Amino acid sequence: MNLTILGASSVAPNPGGACTGLLIEDGGISLLLDCGVGVVSNLQRYMSFHALDAVVISHMHSDHCLDLVTLRYCLKYAPWAGARRPLPLYLPPGGRAMIEEIIGPMREPNVEFFDGVFDICEYDPTQPLLVGPLHLTFTPTVHYIPCWAVRIESGGRILAFSADTGPTADLAPISHGAHLFLCESAVYDRATEPEQWGHLTPEEAGAYGKEAHAHRLVLTHTWHGYDRIDMVKRAAAAFGGPTSLSQEGQVYQV
């Protein structure tokens, strides 16, 4: 199972970067997990958007889903020699109504904006989701809107993704024994940002990784204005294992 980082920024895209987006590939299947601003552009460095097999969205904040609008226009209007097919799009509970509200002002008269381009369904986070050989399970996080962390298993390998979460979430169901734990760290210092209860500090991310007995911790959802070298060092001290910072273009073999 391969992971390509398409977007590693927080809600404010870092210079030259993109908001959250992960390309997971295994057994000839390509899954896009989250689709924040700038992700579709970066996706095309590695594959055509027409070649995607599915898209899964962790939650409906703009930095995780807004490029679905871009992807819709690409799939509908970009030149493509092959047969066009609706792309399976798995949204969290209530996601369909939210995305329809977002695109309301852009809706063309007498045209269904997403129908025929996406095959939309809302996943049940209490049940596993299968995309080819990829087995996805979900657990709720603590965030400003409903959000789900994701565990992806294939061929005995485990990728865990925290999505967006605060420090009181129970991430054990998705992170235990993960070969790679991609964990958000949008808060630099809890003492100076106490109101950011929906995100993690490096120490909190590291503690989650240690609790999970993860093999490797990768920080994501960080802002370039912070001292991110220091953040990695602090996370590593709490984790006690290999720790690094996610950046666009990195490829991991999980």
Side-chain angles (χ1 to χ4, degrees):
M1 178 166 48
N2 288 334
L3 164 67
T4 303
I5 305 295
L6 302 179
S9 303
S10 62
V11 67
N14 295 325
C19 294
T20 302
L22 311 172
L23 176 62
I24 297 122
E25 299 172 284
D26 192 53
I29 295 296
S30 299
L31 168 68
L32 178 61
L33 177 53
D34 280 351
C35 192
V37 174
V39 165
V40 173
S41 177
N42 284 342
L43 172 68
Q44 294 174 86
R45 298 176 184 271
Y46 307 96
M47 61 181 294
S48 168
F49 36 74
H50 287 288
L52 282 172
D53 293 290
V55 180
V56 175
I57 302 298
S58 66
H59 67 294
M60 301 303 295
H61 270 160
S62 65
D63 55 326
H64 292 255
C65 74
L66 196 56
D67 240 22
L68 288 175
V69 176
T70 304
L71 184 56
R72 178 265 186 187
Y73 281 106
C74 291
L75 292 171
K76 188 172 182 68
Y77 296 116
W80 177 247
R84 296 179 184 267
R85 57 177 176 78
L87 175 64
L89 170 59
Y90 298 95
L91 298 176
R96 174 99 196 208
M98 294 179 73
I99 197 70
E100 291 286 354
E101 185 174 353
I102 289 171
I103 57 88
M106 293 175 278
R107 194 181 302 276
E108 302 162 26
N110 304 315
V111 174
E112 292 295 333
F113 194 85
F114 288 121
D115 289 355
V117 177
F118 293 121
D119 180 10
I120 299 178
C121 70
E122 296 181 3
Y123 57 80
D124 179 352
T126 68
Q127 299 296 320
L129 174 64
L130 300 179
V131 181
L134 304 174
H135 181 275
L136 284 69
T137 51
F138 305 88
T139 196
T141 73
V142 175
H143 197 47
Y144 307 107
I145 65 172
C147 177
W148 283 267
V150 187
R151 180 184 180 94
I152 303 176
E153 301 179 62
S154 182
R157 307 299 288 180
I158 302 167
L159 167 65
F161 173 51
S162 71
D164 284 5
T165 188
T168 60
D170 179 9
L171 299 183
I174 64 99
S175 60
H176 182 71
H179 295 94
L180 192 153
F181 181 24
L182 188 68
C183 189
E184 77 117 270
S185 185
V187 177
Y188 185 74
D189 185 344
R190 180 64 60 195
T192 58
E193 299 181 75
E195 76 285 355
Q196 294 285 358
W197 55 263
H199 293 288
L200 299 176
T201 66
E203 290 85 358
E204 292 161 352
Y208 271 124
K210 183 176 183 178
E211 179 185 4
H213 300 286
H215 295 235
R216 181 173 186 176
L217 176 66
V218 180
L219 299 185
T220 193
H221 209 264
T222 60
W223 183 56
H224 77 101
Y226 292 148
D227 183 345
R228 295 190 287 176
I229 295 176
D230 176 65
M231 293 178 74
V232 171
K233 289 179 179 178
R234 289 157 51 200
F239 174 49
T243 307
S244 58
L245 179 73
S246 70
Q247 293 181 316
E248 287 79 3
Q250 289 176 332
V251 179
Y252 298 93
Q253 187 171 9
V254 179

